[in-house]
Every structure is written in structure tokens, then in C-alpha cells.
Amino acid sequence: MAAETAQLGLVTPTQGDLTGTWGNVVNNGITEYVNIAVAGTLTLTGDGAVTLANTTGNASVTNITSTLAGAGTVTAQFAVVKISGTSVDKTVTGPSYSKTYVVDNAGGNVVTFKAAGQAGVSIVAGEKATVYYNGSDYVKVASSTADGVSTISFGSTGLTPSTATSGAVTVAGTLAVANGGTNLTAGTSGGVLAYTATGVLASSGALAANNVVVGGGAGVVPSSTNLLAISAAVTTGNYIKAIGYADTVTALGNTGAAINLDLTSGNVFSATLNDNATITLRFPVSSGASSFTLILTNDATPGRTVAFAGSGATFKYPGGAASLSRTTTANAIDVWFFFTPDGGTTYFGSIPMKNLTA
């Protein structure tokens, strides 16, 4: 009496049996089944659940069924299972033993390929996948459609994916600030990003060339009015190859009898002395050290006087002098330098360059 193998159901003839029928049994029960297990295709058409179950050949017939329309039970030992002509999702239940299938879903709906009582795997329309029984259920080990992407979500990032289930998945939208983005779709050419008073990222207007941004205060978006000037950069491509630093000279104009020198405006000033003048320093740094330079040009009248003042400030000059000896001739230029180590309480002054000409 011929028995069968546990997986593919191949006939195993018993020694001395099958006299006169041995060839038919081998052909119908072994050869044909090995053939379909290696290279055979089972074709399933139409809707309805299908169960794959082993069949066994005998001396008379193979008992192999290679096509099935609709629902039913059909030979399980094929290598390839091709599904077509579906109008609704279809379930195929495979045998619960170590078996590998190539599943070709040529239909228009999802095919679920599973073991009895299990969830199985989904094979979308147009997908070709290799599945195998892992001891409890069928799992997918390869796919023609990148594992058959069916849904993708970017949550609250602000990005919106396309609904593609295969191939490239495109993304649109603007990445939200909370997820590391700017929430902006565009900005001003030459501008920079900064948080507004309401905590929203915004693009500033175009900044002047060769300038860098310094603090503008809470909620202040950088602009051309709160910049620190630097010299033109020598660049190659997009990287700075050499860079220099330059102060902005604040021109005060004619002094008159009294003029204010506001230290928030810069640290290099120029002025023309056209009267006996008192120059009052205002708005020094609140603490720490700072300095400024004054380029003072006499007008055509010689002999004018200059005095410096500042709220609560003490001025000290070399040798304990009460004032500095300056050039008083017409049209002469002196360069004054003042330094404070204590936030404007004390100013040390000197004239390092005197009696210059324009």
C-alpha cells in the first residue's frame, strides 16, 4: 500500500507492492506533483474564498486541479498562485505546513493569503509577493511593490503624503515649527528668520550686503536698522574665505554750543567744532567695559574750546590733568579716544592722534 509524504503528499510506494501499476502510481503520484511544486501555476478567477488542500495521485489519475472559478477547495501543491477577475477582496487559505508560494494578484482587489484561523498577509492589486508558512501563519518575504504600502501618515507635521500604494510616495505641505520646520513656504531673498513678539517664525526684509545681525530685542525681527557692519567678504562658492571687521562711523555734524553723543548709536563718531562746545555722553553700557573714538575737526575759526560731560561720569586724563591739550588751529583734526571699565562711571581719555589734516 503506497503512503504519502507529510508536506507535498507525494506517493511513497511500498517495496513489492503495485505490481503492474508501479509506473502509473509514480507518474501520477510523484512526478506530476514534483512538477507543479517546482514550476506549476494554480489559476484562481472570480470572487469567493478558496482553500488550498493537498491532493494525491494514484494509478488511475493525478487528482490535480489547476484552475478554480469562484469559491472552493483546490490542489495546494503548486508553486505559483495567480488570482484574477475579482470584484471584491478575496481570501486564500493555504495548508499549515512548511510551504512557499509566489502569489500573483492580477485582480482588482486585495487578496489575503493566510493559514486557517490566522490573519495572514495582504497582497494588493497588481502586487506579486513571495509568502511562506512560518509555523503559525503565512508571512510575506518579498514583494514587487515595496511591501505594498497602503497608508502613510505624517501626523501633525504639516506634511501631506500622496495616496500612492506602490512606487514613489510624494509629500507636500510645510513642515510645522513643532516638528523642526519653519511653517513657512517662502521668505524674502537676503532676509533671515526670527521669532516675532507672538512667538511665530517670520522672514525679515532683505538685509544690507556685508552686514550681520545683532540682537534687536524681544519680538524684534531683524532689519537694516539693527545690524553690525562688517567689511565685504571674499567668497568662493558659498563659504567665507576671508572676512574683516569695520565700525560704522556716526556723523554728528556741527557741534554748536552743545551736542549729545549717544553711545547706543555706535562707537566711532565724527563732528565739526563750530562753537565753544560741551559734548555730553549719553546711554553708556550699563556695566562692564566699553570705548569710543571721536574724530573732531575744527572749523575755519581757531581757538575754540571743548568740554566733555556725562551724567555722574568722572573724566580722567594723563598726568591728572583737568583737560586734554588739543589742537586749536583752524581746520585741524584731532582723534580722541575714551575708555570706561565700569559702565560709564569713569572715563579715561586721551588724544592719540593730533593736528591731522583732511
Side-chain angles (χ1 to χ4, degrees), residues 28-44:
N28 293 338
I30 299 177
T31 305
E32 292 297 330
Y33 278 89
V34 170
N35 182 62
I36 66 170
V38 173
T41 297
L42 170 64
T43 302
L44 307 178

Side-chain angles (χ1 to χ4, degrees), residues 45-340:
T45 58
D47 301 324
V50 172
T51 298
L52 307 184
N54 280 4
T55 55
T56 304
N58 54 47
S60 302
V61 293
T62 65
N63 290 315
I64 294 172
T65 302
S66 60
T67 62
L68 178 65
T73 301
V74 69
T75 301
Q77 289 101 314
F78 285 90
V80 178
V81 178
K82 183 173 183 178
I83 301 98
S84 63
T86 55
S87 60
V88 296
D89 293 348
K90 188 179 185 74
T91 298
V92 177
T93 301
S96 296
Y97 62 75
S98 179
K99 182 72 173 76
T100 300
Y101 290 99
V102 174
V103 182
D104 180 359
N105 185 2
N109 300 87
V110 175
V111 170
T112 299
F113 202 100
K114 69 185 193 69
Q118 303 299 320
V121 293
S122 295
I123 302 169
V124 299
E127 182 183 1
K128 299 171 181 62
T130 299
V131 301
Y132 88 102
Y133 183 74
N134 67 357
S136 61
D137 198 3
Y138 281 87
V139 295
K140 190 186 302 183
V141 293
S143 172
S144 64
T145 58
D147 291 332
V149 175
S150 58
T151 60
I152 183 171
S153 172
F154 287 93
S156 60
T157 62
L159 301 178
T160 304
S162 68
T163 57
T165 57
S166 62
V169 177
T170 58
V171 178
T174 304
L175 186 61
V177 175
N179 298 97
T182 64
N183 209 36
L184 298 175
T185 56
T188 302
S189 175
V192 297
L193 287 176
Y195 285 98
T196 66
T198 58
V200 177
L201 272 176
S203 174
S204 75
L207 304 180
N210 308 317
N211 285 269
V212 295
V213 177
V214 296
V220 177
V221 176
S223 68
S224 59
T225 62
N226 52 7
L227 300 174
L228 175 67
I230 60 174
S231 67
V234 180
T235 62
T236 301
N238 291 323
Y239 66 91
I240 296 178
K241 191 174 182 180
I243 188 168
Y245 177 82
D247 286 314
T248 298
V249 178
T250 301
L252 302 178
N254 293 327
T255 63
I259 190 171
N260 294 324
L261 193 153
D262 294 342
L263 295 172
T264 55
S265 300
N267 55 7
V268 179
F269 302 88
S270 66
T272 299
L273 187 65
N274 67 337
D275 203 339
N276 296 327
T278 297
I279 300 175
T280 301
L281 308 184
R282 302 197 309 175
F283 314 128
V285 294
S286 59
S287 63
S290 66
S291 63
F292 71 91
T293 302
L294 172 63
I295 304 167
L296 188 61
T297 302
N298 296 333
D299 68 0
T301 301
R304 299 194 189 279
T305 62
V306 177
F308 286 88
S311 178
T314 299
F315 292 87
K316 295 185 177 182
Y317 303 110
S323 63
L324 291 174
S325 174
R326 57 174 293 272
T327 306
T328 59
T329 55
N331 302 314
I333 301 172
D334 286 348
V335 178
W336 301 63
F337 177 77
F338 288 87
F339 169 77
T340 175

